[in-house]
Amino acid sequence: VTSCAHAIASISIVLSSLSVISIMMKLPYYCNAVVLVVMIVSADIASSLAISSPSSLSSFTRVQLPLSSKDTRAQSNTLPSTNSNLHMNASILPTAYRFLAAGCAYRAASLASTDITSTAVLLSTSVATFGNWSTEASTQLASAKRAQAQQLEGSQTWRLSVRVKLVGQLVGLVLSVVGGFALGGAVCCVAADAAFWALGAGDVRFMCCDEDESEGDVDGGGGGVKRAPIPAAVARSLLSINVAMLLSTLVASLVMLFDRQTQSSILLHKGGAALYCFGVLTQTIGDITVRRRKQKERMR
C-alpha cells in the first residue's frame, strides 16, 4: 500500500509539474534563478525545522503516548527502521528534484524530432534525477544536518560537500529544463559529483540510522546519525570516473559552440554525450540496486 501511495504521489507530482514547467520556460532567466534560490533556501530551512523533531522520521510528526518497555519492543518489531522511513527530513527537496526531472523529460520530448543527442542526454538526466539523485540528496542533507547538530568530527566537511553537490545539481537541472542546455546542465551535474568527492566526502561520510546506533547525542541532534566512511581507494575511483565524465562532457558541449560544422566536432559531441548517458545510468542502476539490497537486509 505504501509503495502504491508513493507511486501515485510521484505521478501526481510529474503531471502537475508539466504545466508549471511550460510556464517557467516562458519566464526570464533571472526569474528562474530566483526560483532556484528559493528551492535551496526552503529545503535548508525545512530540513533544519524537521530535525528538531524528536522522531525525525518525516516532516509530519506523529504524537504518541509513552510506551512501556514491552510495547517499545513490540513496536520495534513492527515498525520499519528510521533509515527505511527517511526519504527526507522535509518533502521540499525531493519534490524539487522530481519537478526538475519532469522538466527534463518535457524538454527531451520537445527536442526529440530535431536533436536526438540532446534528447538522450535530457532523458538520462531525468531518469537519474527521479530514480537516484532525489533520494540521495535528501538522505545526505538529512545526515549532514544531524551530524552538524550533534557536533560530530568531520560534520563541517560533510555539510560543505553535500551543499556543494546539491547546488551544482540544481543549477545543472535548471539549465537543462529552462535553457534547454542538455550538455551544459550535464556538465554542472557531473562537476557537482566530482567536487563532492574532491572535497573529501568519502572520508567524512555520515548516514542516518536508528537512535540506538547513533554516535552522537540524539537528544541534542534530533535523530540518529553515524559515520559511514568509504574506503579511500573507492573514493579515488569514483572521483576519477567523475573527472573523466566531466572532461568528456565539457569538451562535447564546447565543440558544438565553437566548431559545429566539422565531422570531428560532431563525433566529439556525440561521444561525450554517449559517455555521460552510459555513466549516469550505470551509476543510477547501481545505487538503486544497493539501496534495495540494504532495505531487504533491514527487513529480515
Side-chain angles (χ1 to χ4, degrees), residues 64 204 221 249 263 268:
Q64 297 178 337
V204 295
T249 309
Q263 188 67 27
L268 286 172

Side-chain angles (χ1 to χ4, degrees), residues 238-260:
L238 292 172
L239 175 60
S240 300
I241 292 171
N242 279 280
V243 169
M245 287 178 58
L246 174 60
L247 292 176
S248 63
T249 309
L250 182 61
V251 170
S253 63
L254 292 178
V255 292
M256 296 305 289
L257 291 177
F258 300 104
D259 189 11
R260 302 175 62 93

Side-chain angles (χ1 to χ4, degrees), residues 71-129:
D71 293 334
T72 303
R73 287 194 299 270
Q75 186 188 49
S76 63
N77 292 330
T78 56
L79 292 179
S81 65
T82 302
N83 262 345
S84 60
N85 279 333
L86 179 61
H87 293 288
M88 178 53 185
N89 285 329
S91 60
I92 294 177
L93 190 60
T95 300
Y97 267 81
R98 289 164 187 156
F99 173 87
L100 293 169
C104 288
Y106 182 88
R107 269 292 186 183
S110 65
L111 296 174
S113 60
T114 58
D115 190 349
I116 190 64
T117 301
S118 295
T119 299
V121 171
L122 289 169
L123 285 176
S124 298
T125 302
S126 177
V127 170
T129 303

